[in-house]
Amino acid sequence: MNAPLVVTRDQSLCDELSRLAAAAGVTPRICRSPSEALAAWSTAPLVLVGEDVAPQLARLRPGRRDDAYLIAGESRGHDLFEVALAIGVESVLELHRCEAWLVEALTDCGDRAPSRGVVVGVIGGCGGAGATTFACALAQMGARLGSALLVDLDPLGPGLDRVFGVEAKDGVRWDSLAQTTGRLSARSLHDAVPSRAGVGVLTWPPGTTDSLAPFAAREALSAGQRGHDLVVVDLPRLFDPVTTETVARCDEVVILTVPTVAAVAATARVAARLGSTTTLRLVVRGHGVGVRGIEQATGLGDAIAMPQQRGLAEAVDLGLGPVRSRRGPLARTASEVLARLPATVGAR
C-alpha cells in the first residue's frame, strides 16, 4: 500500500500533519524537496503540499491529479490559488479549519484496498428457519478463503457472539458504535470486535433491545467491506430503514426456510419484499415439501437443499460454533452458497 505524501520543509507543519496521520493510523512519506516528491506524485493515494514549497513545486509542473491539496496557514493570499492551479492540486485547505476532514482523508489511505469485500445477507423466510446459525456457518466457511466479519442487525435475536461462542470475549459491540458521528476506520473495526478463527463478530451486548441508528449501521458496514473479504449480515425479518438500506447494499441475500406449507407461504412474502432490491438465493433446510414446489411458490429458482445436521443445537449451546466438520450438511451448503456468489470471496 502506498503511503500518503507530504511535501514541506516547514517542520511545524510536518509535525502537525504527522500527528493527524498518526490519529488516522497511517505513516506518511515526507518529502522536503519538491523534485524528490515528483517520483511519488502520481502513485500516492493522497498528496499534501505545504505552502512553503508550493511556488517551487509549481515551477516543476507535476500535473493535475485528484486527492492532492495545498495546505495553507491562516492568512492566504490570492496568489496562492494561482500557485495551486499551476501545481494541479484539487483545492487549498486551511489546516486549522480542516483537521477533522484531513484525519478522515488520511484514514481512507489506510483502509484503501483494490476492491471491497463481498456482502451477503441472511434472513429467515419464516420463524425458526435457522438463519442466524447459517449466517455463522457462512462466515466460518468464508474465513477459509479470506477475512470474514459477522454483523448482527437483529436486536431480538440470540446474539451472534453466543451462537459463535465468543460471548465471553472482550471487544466492541453495537452499544459502543451507536453514537458514531464520523467515519469509522476499517482497521479499527477489524481489531476491535471479538473474533474467533478469523471471523470477527459485531453484535449486541446482553439485554439490549434498542434500535440501531442508520448512520451507525452504514458506517460499520462500509468499514467492514473495506477491512474484510466477506461480510455476512444476519438480517431481521422486520423491514425497518436500517434493514432496507442494508439489503440494497448486499451482493446477495440468502433466504432460509423449512419445507412446510406455512413456512413456504411466509417465505414467498419475504421473497416478494426483497426481490426488487437484490439477488436472492433460497436454501431449504430439512425434508417435506419438495424443493421444486418451493421454487414455484416463492418464484426463486436454483434453490439449495440442506439436510438436517445432527448435534447442531448441542454444538451451539456449548459455544463451539455451528460448523464442527467440513463434511457436514451445514458446511457443505455454506460452501456451495459461497461458490455461487456473483462475486468471489478472497479476490481482493
Side-chain angles (χ1 to χ4, degrees):
M1 182 188 303
N2 291 326
L5 176 65
V6 173
V7 189
T8 183
R9 293 193 184 100
D10 185 334
Q11 188 58 50
S12 62
L13 176 60
C14 183
D15 291 342
E16 282 298 303
L17 293 177
S18 295
R19 176 180 63 84
L20 298 179
V26 297
T27 302
R29 175 180 176 180
I30 308 294
C31 287
R32 302 188 182 278
S33 166
S35 58
E36 179 187 351
L38 291 180
W41 182 265
S42 61
T43 58
L46 177 71
V47 178
L48 304 176
V49 178
E51 63 176 318
D52 60 304
V53 297
Q56 184 181 350
L57 186 60
R59 289 193 290 271
L60 297 176
R61 300 283 179 174
R64 177 169 177 76
R65 56 154 293 168
D66 295 331
D67 296 324
Y69 303 90
L70 199 160
I71 308 300
E74 295 186 24
S75 58
R76 56 182 185 179
H78 293 290
D79 58 336
L80 198 55
F81 289 97
E82 296 178 3
V83 172
L85 185 62
I87 295 173
V89 298
E90 189 168 327
S91 64
V92 179
L93 304 176
E94 292 185 26
L95 181 61
H96 72 289
R97 292 184 177 180
C98 64
E99 287 194 4
W101 185 92
L102 278 172
V103 171
E104 292 186 3
L106 288 162
T107 302
D108 278 338
C109 298
D111 290 345
R112 194 162 294 171
S115 62
R116 298 196 171 196
V118 181
V119 181
V120 181
V122 182
I123 191 170
C126 60
T132 295
T133 300
F134 190 76
C136 293
L138 202 60
Q140 280 184 279
M141 300 310 296
R144 298 175 182 271
L145 305 173
S147 57
L149 176 69
L150 267 169
V151 178
D152 189 353
L153 286 189
D154 188 359
L156 300 181
L160 289 179
D161 54 352
R162 186 173 300 279
V163 177
F164 201 64
V166 295
E167 68 274 16
K169 289 192 175 184
D170 293 332
V172 166
R173 289 169 171 79
W174 276 125
D175 57 331
S176 302
L177 300 179
Q179 304 303 318
T180 299
T181 57
R183 191 178 185 281
L184 181 61
S185 164
R187 187 182 310 174
S188 297
L189 180 66
H190 183 281
D191 295 341
V193 295
S195 63
R196 174 182 177 185
V199 180
V201 181
L202 177 57
T203 187
W204 308 83
T208 297
T209 58
D210 296 336
S211 59
L212 191 62
F215 182 82
R218 187 182 307 126
E219 281 300 307
L221 186 61
S222 177
Q225 283 183 276
R226 297 193 306 269
H228 299 81
D229 296 292
L230 173 68
V231 179
V232 180
V233 186
D234 185 23
L235 297 165
R237 298 182 69 238
L238 174 65
F239 286 86
D240 60 8
V242 171
T243 302
T244 301
E245 179 178 337
T246 302
V247 166
R249 298 182 62 178
C250 289
D251 295 289
E252 181 170 285
V253 172
V254 179
I255 305 177
L256 263 290
T257 192
V258 293
T260 66
V261 173
V264 172
T267 301
R269 293 177 181 269
V270 173
R273 181 68 180 270
L274 293 170
S276 62
T277 57
T278 189
T279 302
L280 302 180
R281 171 75 58 193
L282 182 64
V283 173
V284 182
R285 178 175 63 86
H287 301 285
V289 178
V291 172
R292 301 288 83 82
I294 297 175
E295 290 178 343
Q296 292 177 355
T298 60
L300 301 176
D302 202 22
I304 300 175
M306 179 175 68
Q308 297 281 14
Q309 180 163 310
R310 291 178 294 178
L312 178 59
E314 180 182 3
V316 171
D317 288 343
L318 292 174
L320 302 176
V323 174
R324 301 295 298 146
S325 169
R326 296 179 64 179
R327 300 177 181 176
L330 196 58
R332 293 201 309 270
T333 305
S335 296
E336 186 172 354
V337 168
L338 291 172
R340 295 190 189 185
L341 286 174
T344 303
V345 177
R348 291 165 20 119

